[in-house]
Amino acid sequence: MDTPSVPVFMTITGLYDVEYRIVMSCRNGNVYTLKRGTKMARQCFELNSQPVGLERVGKSIVVGCMDKTLQSYTTKGKKLWTVYLASSISTMGLMDHRQKGYKAVLVGLTNNQLQIYREKYLINTINTEATVTGVQFGRFGREDNTLIMVTKGGGMIVKILKRNSILDEKMSMARGPPAAQGQKLNIPKKTKTFVDQTLREKENGIVMHRTFQHDLYRMKLTAARAFLKSLDNSMSPISSNPAEPLKLSAQVQGIGPTFKLSVSLQNTSINHPSINLFISFLFDEKLYSLQKALIQVPMLVPGLNYSFETLVECLSDKGLSDVIKVFVLKETETAPIITAVINMPVSETVVVV
């Protein structure tokens, strides 16, 4: 029998005198099959990465690859599933419990774990002190079901499967949806109000949809008008004037009666500086007093954030508060470029000790 490449891993089923099949993975990354009476190996499928282990479970072929994947194929080369592992594969073996007809694949990983897979489901994980480089399941002494592992440092680990162990429960837990999904929900019964509402929606569905669309269009129109009004009155914190692209933000610090009002101004243009600007405040003079009612702004370089501060003193001790409007003005224009409205907090009373 000839093969196109050097075989690396082999699994054999059947009898030599009757019928047998040899499945092997070669160094060229392909998996081939051989039957009795054939002279040349037939290519079954091609792998995406080099194989590091090969096992046959029933009518499927399970291959471990160097890209940290465990793949399953049919004997005709159809891919069934792929499992992505957390670490590289160091060894593979077959777990065949003949008394219960239970077969699984043993996969040793370089992160000191031995994982047991039945089909694509992870059944169990065994943590070891070192990387497992060889694994075998079968008869050892008087025990028919023994797992023997050889570690990288030369140690040997022996685990004996209990004779009364139940393997079907672990399989049922790994497969299918969780048990909570099969429980029925406690859905309340339909009330008369619900039934009447459903009938009303069926009878007046077109009218209700038209009413909803009419209210939605009115809401959009109201929002558009308010936005247009804010642009006309320069009430937006971002300038809509392309000649003076500015961004304004303001905040109040303190609990009173003296507050610190901080105003940040930024030129959002690419290469056009802003000059001849002023910051002005509009407030109730009977309620507040500002240290700087008018601030002259220096030349604003594009991209930089400039901060300006002034002190605000509350003149009332009756717990009243009002708004302070911040305007950014230009010498040659009568309308403000940007406007910000600040809601002042209620001033705390002064406690004299």
Side-chain angles (χ1 to χ4, degrees), residues 189-204:
K189 296 182 179 179
K190 296 180 180 179
T191 60
K192 185 177 183 301
T193 305
F194 177 80
V195 175
D196 295 342
Q197 182 71 11
T198 304
L199 295 176
R200 189 181 72 86
E201 291 178 357
K202 289 182 179 179
E203 295 174 356
N204 305 318

Side-chain angles (χ1 to χ4, degrees), residues 310-351:
T310 182
L311 296 179
V312 180
E313 184 177 357
C314 182
L315 304 178
S316 176
D317 56 352
K318 298 180 181 180
L320 301 177
S321 63
D322 199 0
V323 297
I324 296 179
K325 294 185 179 180
V326 183
F327 302 102
V328 178
L329 308 172
K330 194 175 179 64
E331 285 186 353
T332 58
E333 297 181 4
T334 57
I337 302 174
I338 316 175
T339 303
V341 180
I342 304 173
N343 294 317
M344 295 296 295
V346 178
S347 175
E348 297 288 340
T349 59
V350 179
V351 179

Side-chain angles (χ1 to χ4, degrees), residues 207-225:
V207 178
M208 295 174 65
H209 179 70
R210 289 177 179 174
T211 304
F212 170 76
Q213 292 292 333
H214 181 265
D215 295 341
L216 180 61
Y217 291 148
R218 289 194 62 179
M219 183 181 66
K220 291 182 179 180
L221 179 60
T222 304
R225 286 176 177 174

Side-chain angles (χ1 to χ4, degrees), residues 103-121:
K103 289 186 178 182
V105 178
L106 307 172
V107 182
L109 304 178
T110 55
N111 60 351
N112 301 342
Q113 286 185 350
L114 180 73
Q115 295 183 347
I116 303 176
Y117 285 90
R118 186 165 187 190
E119 295 183 2
K120 62 179 178 179
Y121 302 100

Side-chain angles (χ1 to χ4, degrees), residues 64-83:
C65 299
M66 295 182 66
D67 57 353
K68 303 179 183 180
T69 59
L70 191 66
Q71 305 176 16
S72 177
Y73 296 84
T74 62
T75 55
K76 295 183 179 180
K78 181 180 178 181
K79 193 173 184 179
L80 299 176
W81 48 263
T82 301
V83 175

Side-chain angles (χ1 to χ4, degrees), residues 51-329:
V52 294
L54 175 69
E55 295 295 338
R56 181 172 180 178
V57 184
K59 296 182 179 181
S60 62
I61 303 171
V62 181
V63 187
C65 299
M66 295 182 66
D67 57 353
K68 303 179 183 180
T69 59
L70 191 66
Q71 305 176 16
S72 177
Y73 296 84
T74 62
T75 55
K76 295 183 179 180
K78 181 180 178 181
K79 193 173 184 179
L80 299 176
W81 48 263
T82 301
V83 175
Y84 296 92
L85 305 174
S87 184
S88 300
I89 301 175
S90 58
T91 184
M92 287 181 60
L94 180 64
M95 176 182 174
D96 188 4
H97 197 300
R98 297 182 179 179
Q99 289 81 359
K100 298 184 178 181
Y102 189 89
K103 289 186 178 182
V105 178
L106 307 172
V107 182
L109 304 178
T110 55
N111 60 351
N112 301 342
Q113 286 185 350
L114 180 73
Q115 295 183 347
I116 303 176
Y117 285 90
R118 186 165 187 190
E119 295 183 2
K120 62 179 178 179
Y121 302 100
L122 177 62
I123 305 302
N124 193 13
T125 300
I126 301 174
N127 296 318
T128 58
E129 297 180 357
T131 303
V132 178
T133 56
V135 61
Q136 185 68 35
F137 182 86
R139 184 177 180 84
F140 182 69
R142 296 183 179 180
E143 297 294 334
D144 293 333
N145 304 301
T146 306
L147 178 63
I148 300 177
M149 296 172 282
V150 179
T151 61
K152 187 176 181 180
M156 185 175 67
I157 303 173
V158 179
K159 290 186 177 293
I160 300 174
L161 184 65
K162 294 181 180 181
R163 297 179 182 180
N164 58 352
S165 61
I166 301 175
L167 302 176
D168 294 337
E169 290 184 359
K170 294 183 178 180
M171 189 62 196
S172 62
M173 291 174 60
R175 279 187 176 182
Q181 187 171 336
Q183 297 179 358
K184 293 184 178 180
L185 298 177
N186 188 15
I187 302 175
K189 296 182 179 179
K190 296 180 180 179
T191 60
K192 185 177 183 301
T193 305
F194 177 80
V195 175
D196 295 342
Q197 182 71 11
T198 304
L199 295 176
R200 189 181 72 86
E201 291 178 357
K202 289 182 179 179
E203 295 174 356
N204 305 318
I206 299 177
V207 178
M208 295 174 65
H209 179 70
R210 289 177 179 174
T211 304
F212 170 76
Q213 292 292 333
H214 181 265
D215 295 341
L216 180 61
Y217 291 148
R218 289 194 62 179
M219 183 181 66
K220 291 182 179 180
L221 179 60
T222 304
R225 286 176 177 174
F227 180 69
L228 182 61
K229 183 179 179 181
S230 66
L231 292 180
D232 294 339
N233 299 334
S234 300
M235 297 295 293
S236 175
I238 300 177
S239 174
S240 59
N241 188 2
E244 297 292 341
L246 301 177
K247 181 179 179 181
L248 175 66
S249 63
Q251 61 179 353
V252 181
Q253 298 175 352
I255 60 175
T258 303
F259 302 93
K260 184 171 74 172
L261 179 60
S262 300
V263 179
S264 298
L265 199 60
Q266 183 181 5
N267 185 358
T268 58
S269 66
I270 300 176
N271 52 8
H272 178 68
S274 298
I275 57 175
N276 300 327
L277 299 179
F278 295 91
I279 297 178
S280 178
F281 302 93
L282 179 62
F283 56 93
D284 188 358
E285 297 181 356
K286 297 180 180 179
L287 191 58
Y288 297 106
S289 174
L290 267 69
Q291 183 184 23
K292 300 177 183 178
L294 183 66
I295 301 176
Q296 185 175 3
V297 179
M299 182 181 66
L300 299 181
V301 179
L304 298 181
N305 193 8
Y306 294 83
S307 180
F308 306 93
E309 297 177 353
T310 182
L311 296 179
V312 180
E313 184 177 357
C314 182
L315 304 178
S316 176
D317 56 352
K318 298 180 181 180
L320 301 177
S321 63
D322 199 0
V323 297
I324 296 179
K325 294 185 179 180
V326 183
F327 302 102
V328 178
L329 308 172

